[in-house]
């Protein structure tokens, strides 16, 4: 009888030990599975996108003449709007604006190594050009202005604008391109010269038509902003360049037309591919 009891106790002990071993084994397996799961869902380094790179090319509107804060015209306003987007961590702007630049002058500067390098790494290129091409006609024919003079100058502008866009695409095949249109700064002081609005509209139509011939390129209309007589958007010292409010509205218009959902997407995907390799 005593032997039976001892055998029974030994059997229960072995059964309990096996059960405990199974529990430990299951717990260890569960831990390993959880660790494996954690390893699989670990956030990759490319989850947080790189800063968006935007290169601004052009004339005084890019340089920011008339901006009393001296921070770059529309650029700080556009940066503020973009950095509010949940998919954008930060925005780096490179400003290649030069007061007085015409299309022919911008073309020459686009051969500079630093500008080429900046365009190559850009996620977006914003261009303001054309206003000084129009003003050149004014200066050369101030005594006897005729519509034909502007029409002839527009033909040259169109050719050079195509060359500018070709140079951007030659150095960067994926960046979004935004061409900002021209506006009439004299609508309030030269109301007698009504043809100027017609001239601006013609040049804007040319710009829009040319830009539409390129993939991932867009035209930004701003002429209507400066026709609003209820609000003064011009710099008081020259009544020609935008003031702070004018630049803010230009930035808003650019932002409204930007394709945020794909901005920087190509460079981010390339970066992710590089990490995998």
């Amino acid at each position: 009888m005593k032997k039976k009891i001892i055998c029974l106790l030994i059997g229960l002990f072995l059964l309990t030990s096996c059960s405990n071993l199974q529990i430990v084994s299951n717990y260890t397996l569960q831990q390993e599975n959880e660790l494996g799961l954690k390893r699989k869902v670990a956030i990759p380094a490319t989850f947080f996108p790189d800063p968006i790179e935007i290169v601004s090319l052009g004339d005084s509107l890019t340089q920011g003449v008339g901006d009393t804060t001296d921070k770059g015209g529309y650029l700080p306003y556009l940066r503020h709007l973009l950095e509010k987007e949940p998919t954008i961590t930060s925005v780096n702007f490179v400003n290649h604006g030069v007061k007085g630049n015409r299309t022919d002058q911008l073309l020459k500067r686009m051969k500079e190594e630093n500008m080429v390098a900046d365009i190559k790494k850009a996620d977006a290129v914003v261009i303001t050009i054309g206003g000084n091409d129009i003003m050149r006609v004014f200066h050369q024919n101030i005594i006897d202005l005729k519509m034909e003079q502007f029409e002839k100058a527009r033909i040259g502008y169109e050719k050079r604008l195509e060359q500018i866009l070709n140079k951007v695409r030659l150095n960067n095949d994926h960046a979004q391109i935004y061409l900002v249109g021209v506006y009439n700064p004299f609508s309030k002081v030269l109301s007698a010269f009504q043809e100027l609005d017609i001239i601006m509209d013609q040049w804007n139509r040319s710009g829009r038509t040319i830009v539409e011939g390129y993939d991932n390129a867009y035209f930004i209309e701003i002429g209507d902003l400066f026709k609003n007589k209820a609000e003064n958007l011009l710099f008081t010292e020259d009544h020609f360049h935008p003031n702070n409010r004018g630049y803010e509205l230009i930035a808003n218009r650019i932002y409204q037309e930007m394709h945020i959902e794909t901005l920087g997407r190509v460079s981010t995907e390339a970066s992710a591919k590089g990490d995998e390799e």
Side-chain angles (χ1 to χ4, degrees):
M1 184 67 179
K2 186 179 293 186
K3 288 183 180 180
K4 289 182 179 180
I5 293 174
I6 292 173
C7 289
L8 181 59
L9 289 174
I10 292 173
L12 288 173
F13 175 77
L14 292 174
L15 182 62
T16 303
S17 299
C18 290
S19 178
N20 288 337
L21 287 172
Q22 183 65 38
I23 292 173
V24 171
S25 176
N26 289 341
Y27 178 72
T28 302
L29 181 61
Q30 182 181 357
Q31 282 188 317
E32 290 177 351
N33 289 337
E34 288 179 354
L35 288 173
L37 181 60
K38 288 179 181 178
R39 282 194 293 270
K40 290 179 182 179
V41 299
I43 298 176
T46 55
F47 179 81
F48 299 102
D50 296 330
I52 298 298
E53 300 287 342
I54 298 181
V55 174
S56 298
L57 309 178
D59 50 27
S60 54
L61 266 68
T62 294
Q63 181 178 324
V65 177
D67 170 21
T68 58
T69 67
D70 198 28
K71 293 182 178 179
Y74 72 84
L75 273 64
Y77 297 106
L78 183 56
R79 175 187 284 112
H80 175 71
L81 291 169
L82 290 173
E83 289 183 346
K84 290 169 61 178
E85 291 289 330
T87 58
I88 296 177
T89 54
S90 62
V91 181
N92 293 332
F93 273 99
V94 180
N95 190 333
H96 285 290
V98 174
K99 178 182 178 181
N101 258 198
R102 303 182 305 269
T103 47
D104 58 313
Q105 294 169 318
L106 176 57
L107 268 172
K108 291 179 180 178
R109 291 201 297 125
M110 291 182 76
K111 299 177 183 179
E112 299 171 1
E113 292 183 4
N114 62 329
M115 188 181 293
V116 171
D118 290 332
I119 291 174
K120 284 183 177 180
K121 64 182 181 181
D123 296 304
V125 177
V126 183
I127 306 170
T128 65
I129 202 70
N132 293 304
D133 293 65
I134 296 174
M135 292 308 301
R136 189 181 193 185
V137 180
F138 269 102
H139 295 152
Q140 292 178 341
N141 305 277
I142 190 66
I143 298 176
D144 187 25
L145 279 173
K146 297 178 181 179
M147 289 290 288
E148 292 81 5
Q149 297 159 347
F150 292 96
E151 292 173 4
K152 182 179 179 181
R154 181 165 55 87
I155 294 173
Y157 162 76
E158 291 173 350
K159 293 179 180 178
R160 292 186 294 274
L161 180 58
E162 285 186 347
Q163 292 174 342
I164 290 171
L165 296 178
N166 286 339
K167 282 185 177 292
V168 172
R169 273 291 170 255
L170 178 64
N171 292 296
N172 190 318
D173 62 358
H174 66 269
Q176 297 179 7
I177 301 175
Y178 296 93
L179 174 66
V180 179
V182 295
Y183 65 94
N184 180 7
F186 306 121
S187 59
K188 296 181 181 180
V189 295
L190 292 179
S191 56
F193 188 26
Q194 298 178 352
E195 291 86 351
L196 188 55
D197 278 332
I198 298 175
I199 293 168
M200 295 296 180
D201 290 341
Q202 289 175 339
W203 285 59
N204 279 329
R205 280 198 297 271
S206 293
R208 182 185 296 276
T209 300
I210 291 171
V211 165
E212 288 176 349
Y214 294 81
D215 292 334
N216 209 17
Y218 314 92
F219 182 81
I220 309 295
E221 176 68 55
I222 65 169
D224 59 310
L225 297 175
F226 293 87
K227 292 179 181 179
N228 179 12
K229 296 184 178 181
E231 189 172 11
N232 181 26
L233 302 179
L234 297 178
F235 186 40
T236 55
E237 292 187 14
D238 61 18
H239 299 284
F240 183 84
H241 294 97
N243 56 21
N244 294 2
R245 175 59 176 164
Y247 280 118
E248 182 180 11
L249 292 182
I250 292 174
N252 288 339
R253 183 62 59 85
I254 297 172
Y255 170 74
Q256 290 168 7
E257 298 296 327
M258 291 188 86
H259 290 240
I260 307 296
E261 69 280 1
T262 58
L263 187 60
R265 180 178 173 182
V266 173
S267 59
T268 300
E269 289 178 351
S271 175
K273 185 178 179 181
D275 287 348
E276 290 174 1
E277 295 173 351

